[in-house]
Amino acid sequence: MNTKPNILLVDDDELYLYLMQKTIHQISKELVVSTFTDGEQAVEYITKCTEEKVELPEVIFLDINMPFLDGWGFLNEFKKLKPKIINNINIYMVSSSMRDSDVKRASNFEELTGYVVKPVNKVQLAEIFKKIYHENW
Amino acid sequence: MWKRVLRMFIGLYVPLFVLTLFLYYSQKAKQIENITERQIRANTLKKISFEEKCHSFLRNTHYWASLKYPKNFDPLVEHSSFLRSYLEFIEDVTFYDQFRFIDLEGKEFFRAERVGTDSIVISALQNKNYHPYVKSGLQLKKNQIYLSQISLNKENGKIEKPHKPVIRTVAPIFDAEQNQIGLLVINFKMKKILDQIKSKVEDKNVYLLDEDFRVISSSTIKEDLPYESGNENSTIAGILQTKLISHNRDSTFVENGHIWSQQSINLNRATFTFGSKSNLPTEIVTPSNWLLALEIPQKLVKAELQPVFESLLTFNIISIISLLTLCYIFQKNRIEKELFYKELESKNILLTRSKDQLEENNVMVNEMNNSLEIRNKQLSDFNYLISHNLRSPVTSMSVIVEMIQKEKNPEALHQLLPKLDQVAKSITNLTEDINDYVAILDTKEIKIVDIDLKELILEVKNEFTETLLDNTGFEVQLNLEAWDHISYSKFYLQSIVHNIISNAIKYKRDNVSSYIQFESVIENMQRVLYVRDNGIGLNLERHGENVFKLYKRFHRNISGKGMGLFLVKSQLEALNATITIDSKIGVGTTFKLIF
């Protein structure tokens, strides 16, 4: 926890994590990426951050289907933790499908900033970052 | 139907018929009373007329008897002129047949008789002392007149032909000095009188009977005094067949449909006065009393009653016809109504039946719907599995390929290429899992057999080394009293039991003697199998919705693909069974399988 990560990737697909890291790196070498392979680990990390009063990453890309704790589960836990979180966090739901039931369910979570469909390409990512950091990459 | 019509008709007609009968009989009684009255009147008239005739004879006789005859009366010679004028008078009175004087010894001393119709001649004398009328006549006192029986005239002991019914009057005669000189005997012709008596009144039969009920004259027999000429059927027993004798002499009665009216004519000891009232009354002496009977034959009575009978018959026929028609129409309507109701009822039954059928169909449709829903869910899951789980490696691959194309740095390429291999491996794994799942979805291949659950569980139990060796502290308990046989796919059930036992072993708690318990019960008419373990349990609040989903794992430090319970659920749902879970961390997990 020496360097504060800017972006949190939560996905059980390790290949996806690798590729996302690579893409983000291509956009900006300044952004620090941290990854977790399931929701439970991510919740543990955020809990730890709130306990230590450390700032959280600005963006979280959250996969829906994951073992141990899936995207929805994570969001439920995140809701509980939110009052303790100091800074603004943008959470993007990332899914390989645009299933209606998922999209509808996602819209019920006000913690969510957006819903992104895999594969997330460089242009999409750049736009998301631009919105958040108000910078041109 | 006709039976009912008839029953109703009888119910209506019988009282009417009884009423008609009553009417008929009362009318009949009235009619008979009328007839009887008329009959009595007619009879009385006849009686009076007969008596009048007798009296007329008696008065004639009295006249002759009251003459003062000369002394030593010799009518034939000395006093022939005395008689002449009288005889001339008699000549014109046609009912005089014989006019005789008989002396006190019973011998005729004057005899005049009618020859032809209008001449009286003096004829030869006869001795008549043996005749009863002579004997009775000789005992007569002054002022007594004898009236004889009516009989056929006999001459010299033989019945005169043609038959001549006569009645005789006998009276003593006296001379001027009041000495009896003999008897006066007059034969009166009865033919006309009898004819008049037996002349029919309104076709009624008339009978004149003597004291002994012998027929003197009758409208039914041509000859008079038939018994004298030897006609055997001349007594009332012979021709009338009535109990006339047993009745009062003056009576009217109905017998076998005949109406009888009888009146007796009693002249014996009766008296009458002749001429002025100062004359002494004359007494009649007669051996015979007569009986005058009038008979109305059955057919006449019937004829009298015919109009009443006919009108009542007509009334009855009309009422029979109208009542029958009424009953018929009424019953027909009723039957039609009944038929209508019956039809309604049967339609109702049909409707109820079709309603039941519909409900049954509905239940079936519901069941089908349920299984379709489950199937739909499975297909949707399958779809999701394909679209999601297969898409992610594929998209990853496309990204890698794109990167490889753009990458010029050979070292970076070296890093990227093994990633492709990783993608291929994950696709292969996924395809294998999908195959397993598709096999379950395709239920056509499933063979349903009767399974002994206990046997099956024990069989599966032996596949695990943990349960084979007793010292590992894992026990499989069975409580299959409620049911232990079921029709199911043996392969599926083995798989289900295997997965559940496998999980129970995998997630057992340390430091306790672990067990898994199978309990069969019947709940709501359904077979239910409870599977309980005392394992580490699961946080259902967190994972509840994902328990039976593919690739869901809830325990980081225990290996697993996240397929077991997904397959269990699929295999149960493929055969319309369901599974639910109840679990508590640190206590254990209970699965409820409803077949």
Side-chain angles (χ1 to χ4, degrees):
Chain A
M1 286 282 162
N2 295 330
T3 352
K4 188 214 110 188
N6 298 105
I7 296 156
L8 202 60
L9 298 176
V10 188
D11 200 310
D12 60 331
D13 186 349
E14 284 176 29
L15 197 57
Y16 160 81
L17 293 176
Y18 169 80
L19 292 170
M20 276 293 277
Q21 272 177 296
K22 221 170 153 46
T23 312
I24 293 165
H25 196 67
Q26 280 173 6
I27 294 169
S28 169
K29 296 214 159 100
E30 290 168 17
L31 290 169
V32 181
V33 178
S34 189
T35 64
F36 292 105
T37 53
D38 59 74
E40 204 171 73
Q41 287 175 3
V43 168
E44 274 170 23
Y45 168 75
I46 291 170
T47 311
K48 207 175 153 199
C49 284
T50 54
E51 277 167 5
E52 291 174 5
K53 310 226 158 124
V54 174
E55 254 189 67
L56 282 164
E58 291 84 18
V59 187
I60 300 173
F61 288 102
L62 183 67
D63 184 27
I64 294 176
N65 284 291
M66 289 177 291
F68 311 118
L69 190 68
D70 65 4
W72 309 118
F74 172 84
L75 282 173
N76 283 329
E77 297 299 319
F78 182 79
K79 239 187 212 178
K80 296 178 197 163
L81 293 170
K82 212 184 169 186
K84 296 177 187 169
I85 295 165
I86 319 152
N87 59 327
N88 190 31
I89 296 170
N90 297 286
I91 303 174
Y92 287 89
M93 206 60 156
V94 183
S95 173
S96 49
S97 76
M98 277 288 277
R99 200 158 70 157
D100 285 347
S101 60
D102 285 345
V103 175
K104 205 177 172 190
R105 195 172 172 187
S107 67
N108 288 333
F109 284 96
E110 54 181 22
E111 292 80 13
L112 282 176
T113 309
Y115 191 99
V116 186
V117 181
K118 285 183 189 173
V120 190
N121 60 32
K122 214 159 123 185
V123 182
Q124 276 176 295
L125 274 179
E127 245 169 69
I128 290 168
F129 293 150
K130 204 170 157 185
K131 255 190 232 164
I132 296 164
Y133 298 108
H134 309 290
E135 280 175 53
N136 284 312
W137 276 295
Chain B
M1 152 144 189
W2 281 107
K3 220 171 158 185
R4 288 167 63 169
V5 170
L6 219 67
R7 215 178 303 146
M8 186 185 170
F9 167 73
I10 287 167
L12 286 174
Y13 179 65
V14 162
L16 200 74
F17 182 69
V18 169
L19 186 75
T20 317
L21 276 184
F22 172 75
L23 265 175
Y24 176 69
Y25 280 106
S26 63
Q27 278 293 311
K28 190 179 170 180
K30 214 179 216 174
Q31 286 276 358
I32 285 174
E33 206 179 302
N34 274 339
I35 294 166
T36 312
E37 223 167 84
R38 287 210 312 271
Q39 196 182 11
I40 290 170
R41 218 176 300 137
N43 206 12
T44 310
L45 279 175
K46 278 194 187 293
K47 176 192 167 185
I48 288 168
S49 142
F50 181 76
E51 278 178 346
E52 196 53 49
K53 285 286 177 322
C54 287
H55 276 117
S56 150
F57 297 153
L58 289 166
R59 274 194 299 274
N60 271 273
T61 312
H62 183 267
Y63 168 77
W64 289 108
S66 59
L67 284 178
K68 286 193 170 70
Y69 293 93
K71 226 173 168 190
N72 299 318
F73 183 52
D74 183 7
L76 285 176
V77 185
E78 195 180 331
H79 299 109
S80 60
S81 55
F82 171 80
L83 267 181
R84 171 119 331 119
S85 56
Y86 290 107
L87 288 176
E88 276 168 9
F89 168 72
I90 291 170
E91 244 173 11
D92 297 330
V93 186
T94 51
F95 52 75
Y96 275 75
D97 188 52
Q98 289 182 7
F99 186 89
R100 289 172 290 163
F101 291 118
I102 292 171
D103 64 17
L104 294 171
E105 272 140 33
K107 285 175 191 151
E108 289 178 354
F109 63 92
F110 179 80
R111 180 184 182 96
E113 54 187 325
R114 187 173 296 279
V115 176
T117 46
D118 52 1
S119 67
I120 294 278
V121 285
I122 294 164
S123 52
L125 300 172
Q126 293 176 11
N127 188 359
K128 298 282 183 183
N129 61 356
Y130 52 88
H131 277 290
Y133 63 83
V134 176
K135 283 181 185 163
S136 302
L138 286 173
Q139 283 165 22
L140 287 174
K141 290 167 194 153
K142 203 171 190 240
N143 289 326
Q144 279 190 327
I145 296 178
Y146 176 83
L147 189 68
S148 83
Q149 271 278 26
I150 299 165
S151 58
L152 294 176
N153 192 39
K154 291 179 183 171
E155 288 306 328
N156 302 315
K158 278 188 180 170
I159 294 169
E160 192 188 343
K161 282 190 179 171
H163 288 174
K164 191 197 280 173
V166 293
I167 192 164
R168 297 177 183 89
T169 53
V170 181
I173 49 171
F174 301 90
D175 61 12
E177 288 167 11
Q178 295 297 320
N179 292 318
Q180 186 176 356
I181 51 172
L183 297 172
L184 166 75
V185 178
I186 307 171
N187 285 17
F188 291 104
K189 281 196 208 170
M190 286 300 285
K191 181 101 177 73
K192 267 189 188 162
I193 295 161
L194 291 179
D195 282 352
Q196 203 187 346
I197 279 179
K198 70 188 181 188
S199 70
K200 286 191 181 180
V201 182
E202 298 173 4
D203 277 336
K204 292 165 193 161
N205 290 325
V206 190
Y207 303 91
L208 183 66
L209 307 171
D210 68 9
E211 181 93 2
D212 303 320
F213 296 102
R214 287 179 306 191
V215 175
I216 291 168
S217 186
S218 153
S219 61
T220 58
I221 302 167
K222 209 176 168 190
E223 54 185 326
D224 293 320
L225 296 154
Y227 67 93
E228 279 192 29
S229 52
N231 189 335
E232 304 227 334
N233 291 334
S234 58
T235 57
I236 47 157
I239 57 163
L240 306 178
Q241 293 170 337
T242 156
K243 292 169 189 152
L244 211 58
I245 306 161
S246 62
H247 286 278
N248 189 314
R249 282 187 162 252
D250 292 293
S251 63
T252 305
F253 56 93
V254 180
E255 190 184 276
N256 297 329
H258 302 247
I259 302 173
W260 288 96
S261 168
Q262 55 177 348
Q263 288 188 34
S264 59
I265 302 168
N266 290 320
L267 291 175
N268 195 24
R269 303 293 162 201
T271 57
F272 68 95
T273 46
F274 181 73
S276 67
K277 276 194 177 168
S278 56
N279 289 338
L280 283 170
T282 306
E283 191 183 15
I284 303 163
V285 176
T286 176
S288 178
N289 287 318
W290 291 283
L291 189 71
L292 194 62
L294 235 68
E295 177 209 6
I296 301 180
Q298 209 167 2
K299 124 182 140 208
L300 222 74
V301 176
K302 268 189 185 164
E304 287 276 344
L305 290 171
Q306 194 69 19
V308 178
F309 181 74
E310 271 172 10
S311 60
L312 283 177
L313 192 75
T314 316
F315 171 72
N316 269 280
I317 287 170
I318 289 169
S319 34
I320 284 171
I321 291 169
S322 49
L323 278 180
L324 266 178
T325 318
L326 187 88
C327 293
Y328 178 76
I329 291 167
F330 182 80
Q331 291 293 350
K332 203 180 168 184
N333 271 338
R334 230 172 91 173
I335 283 171
E336 267 168 17
K337 223 182 247 176
E338 272 169 24
L339 271 177
F340 176 72
Y341 281 129
K342 230 177 240 175
E343 214 171 301
L344 257 184
E345 211 170 296
S346 65
K347 268 186 188 160
N348 214 8
I349 288 169
L350 272 176
L351 269 177
T352 314
R353 231 179 264 161
S354 52
K355 191 184 152 209
D356 289 349
Q357 185 74 42
L358 263 179
E359 268 169 15
E360 229 168 78
N361 285 350
N362 223 3
V363 168
M364 245 168 69
V365 165
N366 268 344
E367 271 173 21
M368 223 178 251
N369 209 17
N370 280 344
S371 67
L372 277 176
E373 250 171 40
I374 289 168
R375 173 53 61 99
N376 206 20
K377 183 91 195 322
Q378 287 172 335
L379 284 174
S380 150
D381 285 348
F382 177 72
N383 190 28
Y384 189 69
L385 192 134
I386 298 289
S387 67
H388 192 91
N389 296 57
L390 196 59
R391 229 193 116 162
S392 51
V394 168
T395 52
S396 296
M397 192 168 69
S398 69
V399 171
I400 294 167
V401 169
E402 199 187 300
M403 280 180 170
I404 287 171
Q405 280 173 344
K406 285 181 184 167
E407 193 60 63
K408 277 142 194 168
N409 185 356
E411 218 171 284
L413 273 176
H414 266 291
Q415 275 183 331
L416 281 171
L417 282 172
K419 298 291 176 193
L420 275 179
D421 189 43
Q422 209 179 323
V423 169
K425 218 179 248 169
S426 76
I427 289 175
T428 313
N429 284 340
L430 189 65
T431 323
E432 275 170 12
D433 292 345
I434 286 169
N435 260 348
D436 286 349
Y437 182 54
V438 167
I440 294 165
L441 288 185
D442 188 13
T443 49
K444 272 183 213 159
E445 303 294 323
I446 297 171
K447 210 170 110 196
I448 306 295
V449 290
D450 185 61
I451 296 164
D452 184 337
L453 190 61
K454 187 181 170 188
E455 203 177 282
L456 184 133
I457 292 171
L458 294 177
E459 233 175 72
V460 174
K461 173 188 158 188
N462 290 338
E463 291 171 13
F464 297 95
T465 48
E466 288 87 346
T467 53
L468 272 175
L469 304 169
D470 289 335
N471 58 358
T472 54
F474 187 87
E475 200 191 342
V476 176
Q477 299 172 354
L478 299 182
N479 181 9
L480 306 174
E481 270 162 35
W483 58 273
D484 61 359
H485 273 76
I486 186 166
S487 291
Y488 211 77
S489 156
K490 193 171 183 188
F491 174 74
Y492 281 6
L493 203 56
Q494 275 175 335
S495 163
I496 290 161
V497 172
H498 184 101
N499 272 310
I500 290 173
I501 295 180
S502 165
N503 277 350
I505 294 170
K506 254 196 231 171
Y507 305 112
K508 68 181 180 187
R509 254 186 297 153
D510 294 334
N511 308 323
V512 288
S513 57
S514 297
Y515 67 84
I516 183 165
Q517 184 193 56
F518 291 85
E519 189 195 359
S520 69
V521 293
I522 301 284
E523 280 179 13
N524 297 327
M525 317 271 288
Q526 284 177 309
R527 289 155 192 260
V528 173
L529 184 66
Y530 283 106
V531 187
R532 299 188 188 90
D533 66 40
N534 61 344
I536 56 175
L538 192 62
N539 182 352
L540 285 182
E541 203 190 317
R542 209 180 230 200
H543 304 299
E545 59 175 319
N546 288 329
V547 171
F548 297 104
K549 282 191 179 161
L550 183 61
Y551 297 144
K552 296 294 177 187
R553 294 167 57 214
F554 313 103
H555 300 281
R556 199 171 297 282
N557 46 353
I558 297 161
S559 67
K561 261 168 62 169
M563 276 281 281
L565 287 179
F566 172 71
L567 287 179
V568 165
K569 187 176 165 75
S570 300
Q571 283 165 338
L572 283 167
E573 285 178 349
L575 290 171
N576 294 327
T578 55
I579 184 165
T580 54
I581 184 172
D582 189 23
S583 188
K584 213 169 184 183
I585 289 176
V587 178
T589 302
T590 301
F591 291 104
K592 183 183 183 184
L593 284 68
I594 305 168
F595 290 95

